[in-house]
Each structure stands twice: as C-alpha cells, then as structure tokens.
Amino acid sequence: MKRLNTPFLLVVMLCVLTIEGQVLSSTHIREPIVIDGKLNDSVWQEILQPLPLTQRELYEGRPSTHPTFVGIAHDDKNLYIAVKCLQPREKITAFELARDFNVQLDDVFYILLDTYNDKRNAFVFYTNPVAARGDYQVFDNGKVANFNWNGVWDVKTSIDSTGWNAEFVIPFITLRFEDINGQNPWGLNFERNIRYLREQSLWQGWKRDSRLNLVTNAGQLMLNNLPQSKGFAEVKPYGISGVGGATTASDQLVWQNLFNAGLDINYLFNPSYRLNITVNTDFAQIESDRQQVNLTRFPLFFPELREFFLEGQDFFDMGFGGDRIIPFYTRRIGLDSNYQPIPILAGIRLLGKSSGTTLGALSIQTGRTDAAIPENFSAFSIRRDVGIQSTIGGMSIFRINEQYAHTTTGINFRYSTAQFLGSKNLNVGGAIIGTATTGVPMNHNNVAYRFFLQYPNDKFNVFLSTQRAGEGFEPKVGLMRRRDFNEYFVILNWQPRPNPHGSWKWIRQFIFSPGSITITNINEGNTLQTFEYTILPFGMETRSGESIFLYASRQAEGIFVPFDIFSTITIQPGEYWFTRYSAEVSTFRGRKMWFQSRYSTGGFFHGVRNELALDVNIRTSRFFQFTVQNTYTRSDFDLDGFSVFLTALRMRYAFNPNLFGFILGQYNNATYEYLINYRLQWIPFPGADFFFIANQSLRRAENGQLAINAVNVMGKLIWRFVI
C-alpha cells in the first residue's frame, strides 16, 4: 500500500472537519465534467470526501449504517455533484425508471439547494441507483411543495461491488440565485434513504421535528466565480400533429386533422429575474384527470397539471391555504366550466427575487370558442422576507372581458420559527382578501379572511384555523367550495414512539387524536352548515412499513335548498345528524406487491352509506408496474338507493430513464363511461420532449353496445435551444 504523506493527511482532516460542520465549498473548474456516473474524473478523485449522515429514521441520532461520500464542483454553466453510496450490491433496491418516480419504493439520494439562501424556498433533486430523475420545489420553509415542477438537469449512475454512484449536472439556467459581493452562499442539504433498512439519514436537520423540506435547518454551500449571465435566452418551440374524432348528436363520428405550433421563451435578465413568454400554448401532453363522482353539494377540486402554470406557482400564492377558498385557481384559465380547452393565444410572466423581495407578474390572453369569450387574466404579487423565516406580502388578480372587469386583492403574512421552546417548529399566519367586479364595488361583504396557528412537530402536531367569506365575496379566478360562511377548525395529534429496544420495538410510531373539529356556519343567522368531530382512537406504523388507522366521527349537515346527490336521490332541506366509522390499512410500499385500503360505514343524511376503496400495486420488474384502483359506494335511503363503482387500471412502463409512459383505463358506472389514455414520453436530452398521446372516450348506449364519444391520436415535439 502506498504510504500517505503528512500534507495529504492534513488536507483530508481539513475536508472532514469542514463537512462535519455546516459549510461546504464548491470547486471552480475550467473544463466540463464527463457525466457517466462512474466518478473516474480526476476532479472527483481530489475532492470526494466523507459525508457524515445521521439517522432520522428508524433510529434517531445514530450514524447512517452505510458510508456516503460527496464532491461538489462548478464551471461557468453547470453545478456538478458526485455521490458515492457504499452498500452491499445485493441489498440495492432500484425498480423505478420514470421521471418523478415513487420515492417510497427505492434507494434514493436527495439534494436540496436554497439558491437565495433565504431559509424559505428551495429546489430538490433526487435519483435512485438506476438514474431515474425526480425534482420538486419547496416554498414557505416546507409548508408547500410543487411536486409537478420539472427542471432541466441530468444524472447518471453506476453500480459496482461497493455500492452505487451518481453524478448530477444542474445547469445554472435551471436555478435562480443572487450574487452577493462576488460570493454565492446557498443553503444545502442531503438525504439518503436505504430502502431495505427503511433508513432515512440527513446531513443537517436530522431531528424528528425536522425534515429535508425544512429549509431553515439546511447547511451552507459556498460558491465563487458564478456566471452572472445577462441577456441569456432559452427557446422552446413545439409542434403537434394528429387526428381527432367526436360523435355528433346523430351518433356520427366526425374526424378532423389536428395541427398546432407554438413557442415558449425564457429570457434571463440576470440570475435573479427571468421573463417567460408563451405563444399559442398547448397542453396536449398532460395526464388525464382521475374520474370522480360528486356525492356532495360542493364543486370538485382537480389539481393543476399544466407545466406553464406549475412553474412559479409559489409566486402567486395568496397565502390563504386550505381548499375551502382558493383565490387564484389557474384551472380557470384556458379551460371552460366543463374543463374543455380554451385557446391561450399568448402569455407573459416575470419572476424573480433580490434583496429579500420576491416579485411575480403575469398576463395571459385567451381566445374565443363556442362556449367562451376572449378574456385577459393578469396577476401581480410582491412578498418581503422578514427576519429569519417570516414573510409579508400582497397580491392582485385581474379578469377582464367584454362583460366585466374583476379584481381579487389581498395581503398575507406568516411568522415561522424553528426555535420555539428551544427547538420546536411554530407557524402563525393569515390572509385578508377582497373582490370587486364592475357594478359591484368592494365593501365588507366582499371580504374573506383566514388565520391559522400550527405546531407541526413529531410528538405533538397541532393545527388551529378560522376563516370567513362574506356574502358578496366571489373570486372569479378562484374556486370556492362554500359561500357566505365562517369556519373553525382544530386538530390535535399525539404521536409517541415506543422504546426501540423494548417489548414494543416492532412499532415505529403510534398516532392518537382526541379529536379534530370542523364547524361551518352560514353567516346569515349564524346557521349550522357543517359539523364534524372525528377521533382517531388508534393508529400505528410498524418498523417494517405496515400501518393501520381507526376513525369515528359525528357529523351534521344543514341543507337549505334541495340538491340532487344522485340522479334518483334528492336531499331535502333540513338538519341531518349521523355517525360514521372507518378503517385504513396499508402495507410497506417497498415490496414488489403492496396495497392500501379504506372501509367506511354509517349514516349519510337520512340514509346509510358503505364505502370500500382498494388500491393494489404490483411491480413485475423495473420496466413494468401495474396499479388497480377501485372505489365502491353503496347508499341506501328510505325508498331508494344507488351504487357507484369507479375503477382505474394503470400500467406504467419504462425502458430507460429517458423513455417511459403509461396506459390508463377508467370506468364509471354512474355515467357508464370508459376512458382510455395512452402516453409515451421520450427525452432526447434534458429540456427536449417527444410525446405520443392517444385518448379515447366510450359510453354504453341504450342497446348495451359501446359507442365512441371522442378519440384523438397525436404526437407533440418540444425542442430546447439556448441562445
């Protein structure tokens, strides 16, 4: 063995001491690194060093079972991070290949970058031993995460006799950051999950009351000589071609050719601010919504899936939280009341942050259809960092068309600390918003507010909130599940952990809740609209990953006008009280086959409802996965009843991390409708995508035969240029 000299030992000791603290440095290099996942570049041989990870799960405070090494470098265009994860080869778990894979199934390594070093917001990148890519954005110090964000970056991996290696390359154009006196201090954290041990370890913030997304507990990354690009542009044109058919009133299937083209441009004024321009935006590649049957008198919520609206989502968050009132619901833009597409002619958006001030502005113009008139949607937001973790901000949203002009305007604040009572997390916040429409000026009846207090910690988790919407409050670019109401909500969870060496060592954590209470009243007469008191007398998760939860709830609904809960059932006005019970069981998701189920029974208005939901997931290999999702509901009333059955079969397939897709079939017996959605995605290089999409809607005709409602087959190509 070659003997190490004294200066080399001093350098190694210095590296170890540096990384065991809270500060790492990136090495500036002149030549780009060849990304192949093998870590044989000379730069990695020089700077790769031990990364001391500490367990958060299963055994808090213990060192990670298997050693990890990390190295960080950057050139004028990219940030490079190398990771070496030692582990017995036969214990490596890696089945996922598709983008944004299920992290509960594989060994995973995460990188968190707080590029503004504001201890509030961050980018997270992760991979597994077979180079599947995943990423998301973190906002408000982990309070909110955008898991649908897709950045432009790449990773390669390799597996050898000692474990697995990964090389990340993240272009600076993917990130936003601020130059401070020639230096760039960023927040940085790492997490490694070893699936066969169910072990979760972090570099910083490994306490049970913390987690990776709690940005304030991250360490520091020091970077020098970063590019301060100005006038830097990313151009992404797209083209789409295909055929589509729809059934007319006379049951004739009419076909038409489909062709469209458009353009997205991202222009960087500097690393902190970027301008996005979209022309003739198309969303043909998005996944179909999961079918839902509405058995309530409130509108259903469908999540946003369109990339243009997902990026920068945090800039236009009014801080209202919850799902009772969503002041800015982007699915109001480019979709009509039946969620059919309305053409987006053009849009412009400015996003950025500097000196602790976050700015966002957008304007989108939609076109005319048989069901919609041209409209302009605009928004402006400003948010100021206060102290270490807190914020205060304001936002205005506008909707203008030939019939009216509307605005929703509000202010919000949030106080957060991770040092409450020494080391506990505490969040206090709220928002006040108002609406005004042509002919309906803003007054106290057009105002809504929400205030909350949250104590989100491992042993005790407490949340309290109150909110109110006035009679005239109507956000025309938002979503409201209730109108003219005030609501109070309280939940308390006690989550003890048994001694890992005692007789209950097979239990990871118990969860008990003496109660969660929701009280909703109509403002006029302070009349009860909804009451729900739920207790969790028993809940637990085992160290092997199984879980069980038992619930009991007492509910009340105040009905003021009749509504049809189903085609044959009408709920008449009155006050209805009923009791329900439910149980949830799931198995460890790291296995090749796992399931989760929920059964509930009890009263339902003046009748009885039983509901069973069962999801079964099977991984035959890393290339194919099958998921069956079934929900069956049976409701019986005095003179009638109905059954609702929803089923979905999804097959995910992946040939490699750049070629993957799925087939989704859905059936709904309430409408006798079958939906089939097929998608194949190919990523020629990071930032470019090709989609092949085929969608078909079928219905069962009166004669029992299947008839086509609509069908379309198309291809879409998005190509990225940097100029």
Side-chain angles (χ1 to χ4, degrees), residues 474-493:
E474 185 180 2
K476 291 186 177 294
V477 199
L479 177 68
M480 288 186 66
R481 299 189 64 189
R482 305 172 186 266
R483 296 181 180 275
D484 188 27
F485 75 95
N486 61 79
E487 181 176 88
Y488 308 93
F489 177 77
V490 178
I491 185 170
L492 169 64
N493 285 339

Side-chain angles (χ1 to χ4, degrees), residues 125-139:
F125 306 89
Y126 57 92
T127 192
N128 66 357
V130 290
R133 292 191 297 273
D135 49 21
Y136 62 91
Q137 294 174 297
V138 174
F139 313 126

Side-chain angles (χ1 to χ4, degrees), residues 24-200:
L24 286 175
S25 295
S26 176
T27 300
H28 184 250
I29 57 178
R30 301 294 181 184
E31 299 294 330
I33 295 174
V34 177
I35 302 300
D36 56 13
K38 297 181 180 179
L39 308 190
N40 49 15
D41 294 81
S42 59
V43 63
W44 300 136
Q45 302 299 316
E46 296 174 3
I47 69 174
L48 206 66
Q49 53 187 304
L51 179 69
L53 299 177
T54 305
Q55 289 190 44
R56 182 177 182 270
E57 297 285 358
L58 289 167
Y59 303 100
E60 181 187 25
R62 290 187 186 179
S64 179
T65 302
H66 301 299
T68 306
F69 296 80
V70 68
I72 306 174
H74 68 278
D75 57 22
D76 291 339
K77 294 183 178 180
N78 304 302
L79 176 69
Y80 304 92
I81 299 179
V83 182
K84 187 173 187 63
C85 298
L86 300 186
Q87 184 176 339
R89 182 168 185 164
E90 65 275 11
K91 297 294 187 180
I92 293 175
T93 305
F95 286 94
E96 298 288 295
L97 284 169
R99 182 79 185 250
D100 296 327
F101 61 95
N102 189 337
V103 296
Q104 300 184 55
L105 306 181
D106 285 353
D107 295 332
V108 184
F109 191 87
Y110 296 83
I111 300 168
L112 178 143
L113 296 173
D114 172 11
T115 54
Y116 282 111
N117 197 34
D118 61 8
K119 301 185 183 301
R120 296 166 175 82
N121 309 298
F123 300 93
V124 177
F125 306 89
Y126 57 92
T127 192
N128 66 357
V130 290
R133 292 191 297 273
D135 49 21
Y136 62 91
Q137 294 174 297
V138 174
F139 313 126
D140 290 344
N141 197 29
K143 183 183 176 184
V144 180
N146 178 8
F147 292 102
N148 292 305
W149 175 75
N150 287 324
V152 177
W153 61 285
D154 204 3
V155 66
K156 300 296 182 187
T157 62
S158 64
I159 298 176
D160 55 34
S161 59
T162 64
W164 63 283
N165 312 305
E167 278 183 303
F168 293 79
V169 54
I170 305 171
F172 288 121
I173 191 175
T174 298
L175 309 170
R176 293 185 293 269
F177 55 90
E178 185 177 9
D179 184 60
I180 302 176
N181 299 324
Q183 291 188 332
N184 294 81
W186 291 4
L188 173 69
N189 208 353
F190 301 105
E191 178 181 322
R192 180 182 175 187
N193 290 345
I194 304 174
R195 189 55 52 203
Y196 85 97
L197 295 173
R198 296 197 67 235
E199 181 178 295
Q200 176 195 36

Side-chain angles (χ1 to χ4, degrees), residues 18 84 188 221 243 266 310 366 432 443-444 470 472-473 502-503 506 526 531 535 545 596 602 641 650 666-667:
T18 301
K84 187 173 187 63
L188 173 69
L221 172 65
V243 294
N266 296 324
L310 291 170
T366 63
I432 302 175
N443 56 54
H444 69 279
F473 179 77
S503 57
W506 56 281
N526 200 31
F531 171 85
I535 63 171
Q596 59 183 16
R650 182 193 302 269
Q666 301 183 77
Y667 170 68

Side-chain angles (χ1 to χ4, degrees), residues 198-255:
R198 296 197 67 235
E199 181 178 295
Q200 176 195 36
S201 300
L202 292 94
W203 176 44
Q204 304 292 331
W206 47 264
K207 290 284 189 179
R208 290 260 168 77
D209 289 333
S210 184
R211 59 191 186 281
L212 180 70
N213 290 359
L214 203 63
V215 185
T216 188
N217 289 336
Q220 291 280 292
L221 172 65
M222 297 303 300
L223 302 102
N224 296 313
N225 304 313
L226 282 189
Q228 298 300 301
S229 304
K230 297 182 179 180
F232 194 94
E234 179 186 59
V235 181
K236 296 176 68 175
Y238 83 84
I240 184 170
S241 180
V243 294
T247 302
T248 65
S250 58
D251 286 335
Q252 296 295 317
L253 185 61
V254 179
W255 293 89

